[in-house]
């Protein structure tokens, strides 16, 4: 990534500005401004997140917000209530309080003498959700949004659930926020109040995980903040961005389809990262695209951004599965005029008399074959990768052949010509189950001529949710059901000589929590229909695509690496004890920021395990450590969260310990049980 210094404006930085909100709380902001703004002011760009502007995100923030200020915008990074240097206590994600705070911050920005009253919002993940949710409340100053790696539906497509199945990322993410919310504000900003504010957080933030787990179905808790409840509420332009290795790409298609305001969608090969940092590559000049977007909706317009196709995606070519993070995914940029696209048609595939996948028109309705019964081992899912890749660890799905050994698989013949898909495949079939609670995982893979299997996309369905997520009902053992399993959207080109494979399994641990007991699923093969979104290339539209600029950013402050981090995934199988553990290392190391004279340590580890084929032995544990040090001021917090289970409950055991210097100043233990509720 190129660091640019030749920009339209010199920039000045206000290290900390206090923004008052309606209940008297003050939120901390860092502000980047053009050195000599016009008398009428400039538009402002807001990013509000709970990730510590002063230290942990300082380097990242400077590159982004310094860039926007250098191109004529006031760019503002706010610590959400109860995080970083802001006052208050953060008790959950996307609360009504947080949204009220956001409205107040927008109004405050619009009223500043350096602002002309027009404000845009940008954010990735939490910040992307926050921007969409505020757009749906129509604050007068908000004129445009860039939302990255976020969802319109908090239950259907967020870190908590997928197809009604409880995701392990639910624990991973809860533990991340457990650690973030345990840290104090910086005494250099808040003065002697830092200890009082810190202990308010330690006492009041709580254990978010159990709150999320209690809401097993799509109820009012998840409807709050889900803008899909009323797309028409959003009246400002939206740019929606994600990546195929991210967990949030489905939402881009829904936003482009359902918003009736100017909307553009962009999906690259990336993980959960801003696209100028994009891994896997190619990274793009995303900040330049943002400036074009701001110029169009906050500036004088005339950029032509809406003359371009509404949806642009990276159509990936087949690639060998790798045992590490992909650095680059080969493919090409393609575009569609909107979504649904006239260039994409659903092509049904079925099984022929030899149980091979073929286009449905080639099947002459052969006599119904005998059903097949599947009961997968718990090992299916160990090579699934992470629901949401962060690009730094080997967290992509690996070669699927081992996973297929515990699955029911159907292949097509080697393709005679290239086949491209764009959209969400869906599997339809008839099943019966021998337990009242069961799940089905469906994978679509690209099989190379040497047999290596690369997962293209997948879907999960808690079969109790077969008729919807609001009011699931148990299965009647032995009863025959026709179900549909939607898979995640994908853009992929299957090469001639390759084969498509559909794989079915009854577990997918640890990506998703397994059912309470082993369940055998009986499948009637001749009922199977795979609906593929086949794309016919539109050379006229694809030819319109200009290349993206190379990635660039503003300069980052100096920092020094004190200890290098490590990111890795380790699988340990103890055959003597019949135990299996996935160990995830997420150690970001230790670094020093001279600008604020602060050393920062961020470390996390995760374990997911089971014994034999005992579904009651599933357990997951996450530990986090955070350290801040400046001279004699030394802060350390350690968090630990453990989930175990039995047939009826999940059991959560969590601890939080905080040290000031060598003295432990806070310690708390949580022990809670949560009903499984058909999970």
């Amino acid at each position: 990534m190129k660091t640019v210094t030749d920009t339209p404006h010199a920039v000045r930085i206000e290290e900390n500005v206090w923004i008052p909100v309606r209940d008297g709380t003050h939120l901390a902001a860092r502000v980047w401004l053009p050195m000599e703004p016009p008398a009428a002011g400039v538009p402002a760009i807001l990013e509000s997140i709970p990730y510590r502007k002063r230290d942990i995100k300082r380097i990242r923030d400077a590159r982004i917000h310094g860039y926007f200020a250098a191109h004529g915008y006031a760019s503002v990074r706010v610590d959400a209530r109860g995080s970083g240097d802001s006052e208050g206590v953060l008790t959950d994600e996307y609360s009504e309080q947080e949204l009220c705070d956001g409205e107040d911050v927008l109004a405050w920005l619009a009223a500043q003498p350096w602002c002309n009253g027009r404000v845009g919002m940008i954010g990735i993940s939490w910040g992307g959700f926050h921007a969409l949710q505020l757009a749906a409340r129509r604050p007068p100053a908000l004129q445009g949004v860039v939302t990255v790696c976020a969802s319109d539906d908090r239950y259907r497509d967020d870190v908590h659930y997928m197809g009604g199945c409880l995701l392990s990322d639910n624990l991973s993410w809860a533990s991340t926020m457990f650690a973030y919310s345990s840290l104090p504000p910086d005494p250099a900003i808040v003065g002697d109040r830092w200890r009082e504010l810190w202990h308010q957080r330690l006492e009041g933030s709580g254990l978010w995980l159990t709150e999320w787990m209690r809401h097993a179905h799509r109820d009012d808790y998840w409807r709050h903040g889900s803008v899909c409840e009323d797309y028409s509420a959003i009246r400002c332009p939206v740019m929606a961005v994600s990546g195929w290795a991210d967990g949030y790409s489905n939402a881009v298609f829904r936003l482009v389809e359902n918003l009736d305001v100017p909307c553009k969608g962009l999906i690259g090969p990336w993980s959960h990262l801003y696209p100028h940092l994009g891994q896997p590559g190619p990274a793009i000049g995303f900040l330049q695209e943002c400036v074009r977007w701001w110029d169009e909706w906050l500036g004088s317009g005339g950029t032509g951004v809406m003359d371009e196709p509404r949806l642009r995606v990276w159509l990936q070519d087949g690639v060998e599965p790798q045992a590490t993070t992909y650095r680059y995914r080969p493919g090409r940029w393609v575009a569609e005029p909107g979504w649904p696209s006239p260039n994409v048609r659903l092509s049904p595939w079925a099984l022929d008399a030899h149980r091979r996948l073929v286009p449905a028109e080639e099947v002459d309705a052969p006599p119904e074959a005998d059903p097949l019964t599947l009961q997968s081992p718990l090992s299916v899912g160990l090579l699934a990768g992470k629901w949401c890749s962060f690009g730094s660890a080997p967290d992509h799905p690996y070669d699927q052949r081992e996973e297929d050994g515990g699955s029911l698989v159907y292949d097509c013949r080697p393709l005679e010509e290239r086949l491209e898909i764009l959209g969400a495949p869906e599997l339809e079939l008839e099943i019966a189950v021998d337990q009242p609670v069961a799940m089905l995982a469906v994978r679509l893979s690209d099989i190379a001529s040497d047999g290596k299997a690369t997962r293209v996309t997948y879907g999960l369905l808690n079969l109790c949710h077969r008729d919807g997520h609001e009011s699931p009902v148990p299965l009647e053992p032995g009863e025959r059901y026709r179900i549909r399993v939607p898979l995640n959207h994908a853009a992929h080109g299957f090469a001639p000589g390759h084969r498509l494979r559909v794989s079915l399994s009854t577990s997918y641990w640890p990506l998703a929590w397994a059912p309470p007991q082993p369940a055998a699923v009986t499948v009637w093969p001749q009922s199977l229909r795979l609906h593929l979104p086949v794309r016919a290339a539109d050379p006229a539209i694809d030819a319109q695509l200009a290349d993206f600029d190379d990635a660039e950013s503003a300069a980052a402050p100096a920092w020094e690496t004190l200890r290098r981090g490590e990111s890795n995934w380790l699988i340990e199988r103890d055959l003597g004890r019949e135990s299996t553990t996935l160990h995830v290392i997420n150690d970001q190391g230790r670094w020093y920021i001279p600008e604020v004279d602060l050393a920062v340590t961020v470390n996390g580890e995760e374990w997911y395990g089971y014994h034999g084929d005992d579904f009651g032995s599933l357990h997951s544990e996450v530990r986090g450590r955070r350290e801040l040090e400046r001279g004699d001021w030394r802060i350390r917090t350690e968090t630990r969260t453990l989930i175990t289970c039995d047939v009826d409950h999940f059991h959560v055991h969590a601890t939080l310990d905080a040290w000031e210097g060598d003295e432990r100043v806070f310690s708390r233990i949580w022990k809670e049980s949560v009903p499984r509720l058909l999970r």
Side-chain angles (χ1 to χ4, degrees):
M1 182 169 60
K2 178 184 178 183
T3 298
V4 294
T5 55
D6 184 14
T7 56
H9 299 272
V11 175
R12 66 181 177 90
I13 302 173
E14 296 188 16
E15 178 63 27
N16 191 77
V17 174
W18 293 110
I19 301 178
V21 294
R22 66 190 68 177
D23 69 350
T25 300
H26 290 80
L27 306 184
R30 194 171 188 222
V31 181
W32 289 257
L33 293 165
M35 189 67 75
E36 297 180 359
V42 297
I45 310 300
L46 169 65
E47 182 180 26
S48 179
I49 50 178
Y51 306 140
R52 302 187 64 87
K53 65 178 177 58
R54 176 77 168 167
D55 39 61
I56 293 179
K57 294 299 181 182
R58 186 179 189 87
I59 295 165
R60 186 215 72 155
D61 289 348
R63 287 173 167 156
I64 296 171
H65 296 285
Y67 189 91
F68 293 155
H71 288 81
Y73 293 87
S75 206
V76 181
R77 239 291 270 129
V78 171
D79 280 338
R81 173 188 293 253
S83 71
D85 296 320
S86 289
E87 298 173 349
V89 178
L90 188 63
T91 58
D92 201 352
E93 57 182 12
Y94 321 132
S95 67
E96 177 65 19
Q97 179 67 70
E98 181 188 355
L99 295 175
C100 291
D101 288 349
E103 292 175 329
D104 294 346
V105 170
L106 288 167
W108 183 91
L109 290 174
Q112 296 311 296
W114 38 257
C115 181
N116 65 6
R118 301 174 66 82
V119 185
M121 289 191 70
I122 188 171
I124 180 170
S125 196
W126 187 304
F129 276 85
H130 188 58
L132 275 179
Q133 292 163 1
L134 278 173
R137 296 166 78 100
R138 303 185 187 181
L142 186 58
Q143 304 294 307
V145 162
V146 177
T147 178
V148 184
C149 301
S151 180
D152 57 339
D153 192 329
R154 294 183 57 211
Y155 186 87
R156 181 177 171 186
D157 271 310
D158 194 9
V159 72
H160 311 290
Y161 293 93
M162 182 178 184
C165 300
L166 178 64
L167 295 170
S168 289
D169 271 27
N170 183 65
L171 167 61
S172 177
W173 178 240
S175 301
T176 297
M177 293 312 302
F178 197 21
Y180 264 113
S181 61
S182 71
L183 289 173
D186 191 331
I189 296 295
V190 303
D192 292 340
R193 297 186 303 148
W194 75 270
R195 189 178 290 108
E196 175 189 355
L197 296 173
W198 184 28
H199 280 265
Q200 288 175 4
R201 296 177 187 183
L202 294 170
E203 293 282 356
S205 185
L207 187 68
W208 304 2
L209 174 66
T210 51
E211 178 71 8
W212 298 342
M213 293 178 69
R214 288 190 188 97
H215 295 277
H217 311 144
R218 194 177 188 281
D219 56 16
D220 287 343
Y221 178 83
W222 300 113
R223 292 186 188 99
H224 169 77
S226 293
V227 301
C228 64
E229 293 294 304
D230 182 10
Y231 288 109
S232 67
I234 296 178
R235 303 309 308 158
C236 69
V238 174
M239 182 197 299
V241 183
S242 187
W244 295 125
D246 181 46
Y248 296 95
S249 53
N250 297 328
V252 174
F253 290 88
R254 293 196 297 268
L255 289 168
V256 171
E257 178 178 1
N258 290 292
L259 291 181
D260 57 3
V261 294
C263 178
K264 293 191 68 174
L266 173 65
I267 304 175
W270 315 301
S271 299
H272 198 69
L273 298 165
Y274 275 124
H276 61 289
L277 306 170
Q279 289 284 348
I284 64 167
F286 176 65
L287 299 184
Q288 298 96 299
E289 293 300 307
C290 291
V291 169
R292 292 180 66 218
W293 188 256
W294 304 134
D295 287 350
E296 179 68 25
W297 304 113
L298 307 182
S300 58
T303 65
V305 295
M306 296 310 297
D307 297 333
E308 302 162 1
R310 294 187 70 202
L311 180 65
R312 183 165 175 171
V313 304
W314 183 255
L315 197 147
Q316 301 185 139
D317 291 334
V319 64
E320 278 196 5
Q322 295 183 6
T324 184
T325 300
Y326 294 99
R327 294 304 170 193
Y328 184 89
R329 286 298 301 260
R332 73 183 194 280
W333 289 107
V334 301
E336 301 297 341
W339 196 259
S341 169
N343 303 317
V344 176
R345 64 177 180 86
L346 280 180
S347 172
W349 289 53
L351 298 179
D352 65 13
H354 303 286
R355 292 186 176 174
R356 290 178 305 201
L357 275 172
V358 296
E361 61 266 21
E362 297 181 18
V363 178
D364 296 325
E368 184 168 305
D370 291 336
L372 299 174
T373 298
L374 168 69
Q375 185 172 308
S376 303
L378 283 169
S379 59
V380 176
L382 278 174
L383 304 180
K386 196 170 176 62
W387 176 83
C388 180
S389 167
F390 282 82
S392 58
D395 57 4
H396 290 240
Y398 299 165
D399 192 328
Q400 298 291 285
R401 286 179 290 182
E402 284 190 55
E403 307 280 71
D404 289 339
S407 307
L408 189 61
V409 300
Y410 298 106
D411 291 5
C412 73
R413 292 185 292 264
L415 295 171
E416 295 181 359
E417 57 185 25
R418 182 177 173 87
L419 173 67
E420 295 186 348
I421 64 169
L422 173 59
E426 186 175 67
L427 187 73
E428 181 182 3
L429 74 165
E430 293 182 7
I431 62 162
V433 186
D434 69 346
Q435 296 289 336
V437 180
M439 68 172 289
L440 198 64
V442 179
R443 292 173 282 121
L444 176 64
S445 296
D446 184 338
I447 311 303
S449 56
D450 62 2
K452 292 178 181 176
T454 302
R455 197 186 74 193
V456 174
T457 183
Y458 73 105
L460 305 179
L461 179 63
N462 177 338
L463 295 174
C464 299
H465 291 238
R466 60 197 176 276
D467 296 321
H469 301 306
E470 285 78 11
S471 302
V473 293
L475 297 150
E476 188 66 38
E479 184 172 335
R480 193 162 166 172
Y481 299 97
R482 189 164 194 88
I483 63 165
R484 302 177 77 96
V485 184
L487 280 63
N488 287 332
H489 289 71
H492 187 85
F494 295 87
H498 285 214
R499 290 172 289 139
L500 283 74
R501 173 175 294 168
V502 170
S503 307
L504 312 179
S505 64
T506 58
S507 65
Y508 211 43
W509 170 262
L511 190 143
W513 207 276
Q517 300 183 87
V521 175
T522 299
V523 174
W524 278 264
Q526 300 311 311
S527 70
L528 185 148
R529 294 293 182 274
L530 173 65
H531 302 280
L532 283 177
V534 176
R535 181 181 191 265
D538 188 333
I541 290 182
D542 291 350
Q544 296 176 17
L545 295 179
D547 290 336
F548 286 110
D549 292 336
D550 292 337
E552 60 184 38
S553 75
W559 80 94
E560 178 185 349
T561 299
L562 303 178
R563 181 180 60 77
R564 300 187 68 85
E566 178 188 4
S567 296
N568 205 354
W569 284 36
L570 308 171
I571 296 175
E572 177 184 288
R573 284 176 169 167
D574 185 331
L575 298 183
R577 294 180 174 85
E578 290 192 281
S579 67
T580 301
T581 303
L582 170 64
H583 179 196
V584 177
I585 301 171
N586 181 23
D587 180 4
Q588 297 180 38
R590 179 176 174 84
W591 66 98
Y592 175 69
I593 309 171
E595 202 170 50
V596 291
D597 186 24
L598 195 67
V600 181
T601 300
V602 176
N603 176 270
E605 293 187 82
E606 307 174 19
W607 294 265
Y608 303 91
Y610 63 92
H611 297 281
D613 200 34
D614 181 2
F615 278 51
S617 70
L618 297 184
H619 55 277
S620 53
E621 179 180 355
V622 181
R623 299 181 185 180
R625 189 177 82 253
R626 304 289 188 271
E627 297 177 7
L628 303 172
E629 183 173 353
R630 176 191 295 119
D632 293 335
W633 186 67
R634 291 183 293 121
I635 297 298
R636 181 171 95 254
T637 66
E638 294 183 359
T639 56
R640 175 180 179 264
T641 310
L642 171 68
I643 302 179
T644 58
C645 68
D646 56 34
V647 171
D648 299 314
H649 291 86
F650 296 106
H651 304 288
V652 180
H653 181 194
T655 60
L656 167 60
D657 292 280
W659 281 263
E660 185 180 338
D662 296 325
E663 179 185 1
R664 183 163 62 178
V665 296
F666 183 86
S667 183
R668 184 171 177 183
I669 298 173
W670 290 261
K671 288 186 177 180
E672 301 184 33
S673 292
V674 179
R676 293 197 66 142
L677 300 176
L678 303 181
R679 289 177 290 184

